[in-house]
Each structure stands twice: as C-alpha cells, then as structure tokens.
Amino acid sequence: MTIELHCFGESGNSYKAALALELAGLDWTPVFVDFFNGAARADTYRATNVMGEAPLLVDGSFQLSQSGAIQQWITDRTGRFGGTQEERYEVLRWVLWDNHKLSSVAGATRFLMNFLPEAKRPPEVISFQQGRLRGAFEVLNTHLTGRDWIVGRNVTNADLSCCGYLYYPEPFGFDRTEWPAIDAWLDRIAALPGWKHPYDLMPGRPSDRGL
C-alpha cells in the first residue's frame, strides 16, 4: 500500500517529511492540504489529526503527524538517516534544536513577510524574528564549518530537519551567500540522489494562489 503524506508545497515542515520519504526510496504519494483555504482546520481533517497541522503521514490504518516523528518512523522502517548507535542522541538534539530555534522562527517569519496581505505585515515583529534567525544561522554555520554533515559522516535527520525552510525562494531574512558553510551544506544535500526542491516534490506553491 502506498504511503500518503498530507502536505502542501509552501510548508517547510512538510518538506522535511517528504524529502526523507523520497531520499529513503519509499513508495509514497503527496496528498494536497489546501492550508491557505482552511483545510487543516476543517472538522474532517481534525478528525484524523487533532493538531490541525501538516504534514500528516498515513500508512493504511497508521497515522502520524509532526515532521520529526515522521522522520523517525522512516528511520525505524528503513534504517536510513538515524546516524550510528552512538550518534542517535546527537541527531535528536539537532532535530529538537531546529524545531525550536530555526524552523519555527523561519516559518513564522516567512509567513509574515510573504503570505499576509502587505498592509497587515507587522514590521516590528518581523525585525525581531529576523534577529532571532540570525542567531540560529550563526549557530548552524559555525557548527558546519569544517564538516560535511551536521552529525557524523553521512546525511541524517538532523540535516533533513534543519534544511526544511532554507531552499525556498521567498525572502525572509536568509541569504545563502552570507553563510558559506550553510551554503555548501545545502549544495551537498541537493546533490543527493533523489533530491527535489519543495515546490517540485509537493503540490501547492504561491503562484497557484496568484502570489
């Protein structure tokens, strides 16, 4: 049975799960969540995902939300991206750091700057968020200096989590040229067999909504 991933192209968190599924070589298909028209808040969606978020993985009767949990499910199923036995807690440490310090801030900032009507974009909040992002970028860039991957010698869920929002073209305060170690790392991920840009991997993009 084909795995379903309920997702949408603008979602960096969905991309983390979709990219892991694709790179692991699993049989999966994206199911579009019309997030911007309220689909994730609909009673029918919340009946299967009380959190009202994307992504949502469905494998037969099994359902799982939250990108980090889905990534771990893929690791448990395939043996991919979990690191060595000695590295598994370091991988988890970076996934949790990303969820709290990087992706959560990047996602919110990108939404405020690009997907809200221009008149409703709060400049003070955006400036504050961009300051927080710079701190996160500094941490990641420093850590990646002199190494290929965040943990160990191979790509892991740490990489697939932290890169989630960093391939998007919409401006949100991230310029790859400012962060050479991050820039080179993103190129390494993009060179992996099976890699796809989020807008090529999942349905939905701003142009579909006239943005």
Side-chain angles (χ1 to χ4, degrees):
M1 180 176 293
T2 300
I3 300 163
E4 294 181 350
L5 186 72
H6 295 247
C7 58
F8 61 103
E10 294 98 334
S11 168
N13 286 319
S14 292
Y15 182 55
K16 299 172 191 180
L19 185 60
L21 286 165
E22 188 73 10
L23 295 181
L26 289 170
D27 181 19
W28 75 284
T29 188
V31 177
F32 178 57
V33 177
D34 194 358
F35 180 86
F36 290 96
N37 283 313
R41 298 186 296 276
D43 291 342
T44 51
Y45 191 80
R46 286 185 178 272
T48 56
N49 182 5
V50 68
M51 295 179 180
E53 298 174 341
L56 172 68
L57 181 140
V58 178
D59 183 25
S61 61
F62 177 78
Q63 299 179 354
L64 184 65
S65 66
Q66 296 295 317
S67 59
I70 293 171
Q71 288 178 322
Q72 185 60 49
W73 180 87
I74 295 166
T75 292
D76 292 343
R77 183 159 178 157
T78 68
R80 303 285 303 278
F81 314 132
T84 66
Q85 186 74 6
E86 294 77 16
E87 293 166 350
R88 67 191 189 281
Y89 292 120
E90 185 69 1
V91 172
L92 176 61
R93 186 171 79 101
W94 279 98
V95 169
L96 294 175
W97 175 83
D98 166 66
N99 288 183
H100 180 55
K101 296 288 189 178
L102 179 55
S103 283
S104 60
V105 183
T109 307
R110 179 169 160 264
F111 179 83
L112 293 173
M113 292 180 65
N114 298 278
F115 303 136
L116 279 183
E118 188 169 355
K120 295 185 177 181
R121 297 173 187 174
E124 297 86 357
V125 175
I126 290 171
S127 178
F128 173 76
Q129 291 284 82
Q130 288 179 331
R132 294 183 65 201
L133 271 178
R134 289 197 67 84
F137 295 147
E138 288 172 2
V139 168
L140 183 59
N141 193 73
T142 298
H143 179 75
L144 283 168
T145 300
R147 67 178 75 216
D148 288 341
W149 307 107
I150 292 177
V151 179
R153 298 183 178 180
N154 296 290
V155 62
T156 67
N157 287 326
D159 303 287
L160 302 184
S161 187
C162 288
C163 79
Y165 278 92
L166 303 187
Y167 289 108
Y168 285 101
E170 299 84 25
F172 61 94
F174 173 61
D175 183 343
R176 286 175 58 165
T177 62
E178 292 187 52
W179 312 100
I182 295 176
D183 185 36
W185 165 75
L186 290 173
D187 284 342
R188 281 189 289 275
I189 296 174
L192 293 171
W195 180 87
K196 293 180 181 179
H197 187 276
Y199 287 145
D200 296 325
L201 191 57
M202 302 176 293
R205 61 181 66 200
S207 59
D208 296 337
R209 298 182 291 107
L211 297 178

